[in-house]
Amino acid sequence: MLKVSDPQVFEAVENEEQRQQNGLEMIASENYVSEAVLEALGTVFTNKYSEGYPGKRYYGGQEFTDVVETLAIERAKKIFGAEHVNVQPHSGAPANMIAYSAVLQPGDKVLGMDLSHGGHLTHGHPVTLSAQIYDFVRYKTDKSGEIDYKQLEEMAKKEKPKMILAGFSAYTRQLDYKKFAEIAEKVGAITMIDIAHIAGLIAGKAIPNPVPYFDIVTTTTHKTLRGPRGGMVMCKNKYAKAIDKATFPGFQGGPHMNNVAAKAVAFGEALRPEFQDYAKQVIKNAKVLENELRESGFKLMFGGTDNHMVLVDVFDSKGVSGKEAEEALDKIGITINKNVIPDDPRSPMDPSGIRVGVAAVTTRGMKETEVKIIAEQIALILGDIRNKDNYTKAKKAISELCDRFPMPGIKETAMAK
Ligand code: DSN
């Protein structure tokens, strides 16, 4: 249908399908959704306005939107053991803004993780709207790569924040959830954690669940959780009303019900035993990537990884900048992103590091043997970035992997091309 009604968009979709199938997606925040999730996204729920919540909507015709939203909520509660869930946030940045506005007043202080130490833009970087409204102060990691909990406690006592915020987009170690809760308790702060990157690992029981320890938990649904692009806020019952009000009408209009339906599907998948196998394999694969890269002379930030990604100082290790590394790996079919390292002396557009994640390649079925092959190609290319022969060899190795491990949702006709 699309092919006939809009050949230009159809062609772009086909090309994107090819790009995704014929390369390895190793941007740590990306994944491949199942055919069932794709199908739910493309349904008539996209036509519907559903302001409000199940059973309490502003417009009529909500018999079936209520079904999918309730399924999404109940499944999320079951996965994470959350007291209250709001599945309407359009994505991660809105989810964080909703959480802040639910419990903070303009000018209130938030203690969040420094961006260059693995934090996220929406955790108080000066370029964001939230940083214009709230007063963010930032904690860092120490030399061992751990969050400096002593510094965090000292800062909390000195700054007396209204909220202590945990969570990250490039930090690779397990957080001490209990410690955050204890420090917050000492200073009377609300606790919030953004689990966008690790939600799938938590759902698959591959790493501990922070939900019991935090007042508010935000996440995206499309990273390791392998759902559609979207966000979600979980909280203690105490904050339920405030979170719902801050979502709608506070920050958003109508929820995107096709996304909500696809969230329900993805959460159903996350409740299956296979998803636990997936999450555990992600951790195993990341460990292989860490060990192989270290053996090839790369410096791993934070001393290694406990989750799905590694942050590598390619500039110090191989004299290659993050931007050069990203471009070089792109040429052999590995998509990663350049990334700042803690207190990076270089600029964000050409930083010292790269971030590499294994969530998506694990979805394609790749295991330790394949990740070893991938690490070898990364080392080959970044070890001698100007050697043209290496590119030919590495590209062939990656292309063979792509052929052997098709991405979910790819049409047979597209694979044949
Ligand atoms: N863009 C996502 C990431 O890469 O971590 C979230 O900002």
Side-chain angles (χ1 to χ4, degrees):
M1 189 62 192
L2 184 62
K3 188 177 184 173
V4 178
S5 72
D6 195 330
Q8 283 169 299
V9 171
F10 177 80
E11 195 187 337
V13 173
E14 290 267 290
N15 288 341
E16 177 61 13
E17 211 167 55
Q18 291 294 308
R19 189 195 69 79
Q20 290 189 17
Q21 165 59 29
N22 296 332
L24 293 185
E25 191 48 75
M26 298 193 80
I27 290 176
S29 48
E30 294 188 14
N31 213 331
Y32 306 101
V33 298
S34 68
E35 270 189 272
V37 169
L38 276 181
E39 194 178 330
L41 273 174
T43 59
V44 289
F45 275 120
T46 199
N47 299 334
K48 189 72 194 116
Y49 256 122
S50 315
E51 287 95 331
Y53 293 99
K56 285 171 287 175
R57 307 275 188 191
Y58 285 81
Y59 302 163
Q62 307 293 349
E63 303 90 299
F64 308 111
T65 54
D66 279 7
V67 171
V68 288
E69 187 165 350
T70 304
L71 278 173
I73 292 169
E74 292 309 318
R75 287 174 182 175
K77 279 188 182 170
K78 195 159 175 199
I79 293 170
F80 295 100
E83 289 179 15
H84 179 76
V85 177
N86 188 312
V87 294
Q88 295 191 5
H90 298 324
S91 202
N96 285 345
M97 202 64 192
I98 286 161
Y100 300 145
S101 67
V103 294
L104 302 176
Q105 294 300 316
D108 276 350
K109 199 169 269 181
V110 182
L111 197 48
M113 194 171 186
D114 189 274
L115 179 69
S116 83
H117 285 246
H120 188 250
L121 270 178
T122 59
H123 299 177
H125 194 278
V127 298
T128 61
L129 177 63
S130 45
Q132 288 173 35
I133 301 174
Y134 309 108
D135 181 14
F136 284 89
V137 273
R138 285 178 285 279
Y139 56 87
K140 297 187 173 190
T141 54
D142 63 18
K143 285 210 166 61
S144 75
E146 289 287 315
I147 285 183
D148 192 338
Y149 291 99
K150 214 165 147 253
Q151 183 214 24
L152 179 64
E153 182 163 346
E154 279 161 15
M155 285 180 84
K157 284 182 173 156
K158 182 169 162 261
E159 303 283 353
K160 306 225 173 326
K162 178 95 181 273
M163 173 186 273
I164 295 183
L165 169 57
F168 48 79
S169 64
Y171 184 59
T172 54
R173 305 315 309 226
Q174 177 58 41
L175 298 180
D176 188 338
Y177 306 138
K178 208 161 155 236
K179 209 132 203 174
F180 274 99
E182 283 166 2
I183 295 171
E185 168 109 49
K186 282 185 192 163
V187 299
I190 295 168
T191 48
M192 170 174 158
I193 184 168
D194 175 347
I195 59 165
H197 266 268
I198 52 174
L201 307 179
I202 297 163
K205 301 194 190 318
I207 63 169
N209 182 9
V211 173
Y213 296 94
F214 286 80
D215 295 314
I216 301 177
V217 180
T218 60
T219 187
T220 52
T221 48
H222 50 268
K223 297 187 174 90
T224 49
L225 192 49
R226 222 160 62 177
R229 303 201 79 75
M232 174 162 79
V233 182
M234 297 177 268
C235 64
K236 301 284 183 224
N237 277 332
K238 185 179 166 189
Y239 297 104
K241 263 199 187 128
I243 289 292
D244 286 353
K245 232 173 106 193
T247 307
F248 172 82
F251 191 67
Q252 294 189 166
H256 298 171
M257 289 313 297
N258 57 325
N259 269 71
V260 170
K263 281 174 189 172
V265 174
F267 299 164
E269 292 175 354
L271 281 165
R272 291 188 195 137
E274 307 89 272
F275 196 82
Q276 293 189 18
D277 299 338
Y278 164 69
K280 284 169 192 153
Q281 189 64 47
V282 168
I283 302 268
K284 285 188 207 157
N285 284 355
K287 265 287 165 221
V288 170
L289 184 64
E290 170 197 327
N291 291 334
E292 292 294 314
L293 290 178
R294 187 180 290 114
E295 266 177 35
S296 303
F298 287 92
K299 182 173 162 192
L300 279 294
M301 305 315 297
F302 312 123
T305 183
D306 301 317
N307 57 31
H308 59 298
M309 61 185 158
V310 293
L311 183 63
V312 191
D313 183 347
V314 283
F315 194 71
D316 193 37
S317 312
K318 304 286 173 187
V320 175
S321 78
K323 183 167 176 258
E324 287 172 325
E326 181 186 298
E327 286 166 5
L329 294 176
D330 220 14
K331 289 189 188 133
I332 60 161
I334 295 179
T335 312
I336 52 101
N337 65 282
K338 55 185 172 294
N339 212 99
V340 286
I341 59 166
D343 302 317
D344 202 325
R346 298 177 61 87
S347 81
M349 286 314 287
D350 194 11
S352 303
I354 56 171
R355 187 184 65 161
V356 189
V358 295
V361 297
T362 310
T363 294
R364 284 173 85 148
M366 294 184 206
K367 295 204 163 116
E368 289 90 330
T369 314
E370 290 77 33
V371 175
K372 213 166 157 198
I373 296 172
I374 296 169
E376 279 164 11
Q377 310 319 308
I378 295 175
L380 183 69
I381 294 302
L382 301 187
D384 187 0
I385 201 162
R386 277 169 247 295
N387 184 331
K388 289 214 172 79
D389 293 339
N390 286 350
Y391 285 82
T392 315
K393 262 191 254 164
K395 201 168 181 233
K396 188 163 173 278
I398 297 302
S399 172
E400 275 169 13
L401 282 182
C402 292
D403 291 346
R404 271 174 47 215
F405 295 87
M407 63 177 254
I410 185 87
K411 293 194 275 304
E412 264 174 45
T413 46
M415 264 194 75
K417 279 187 188 170

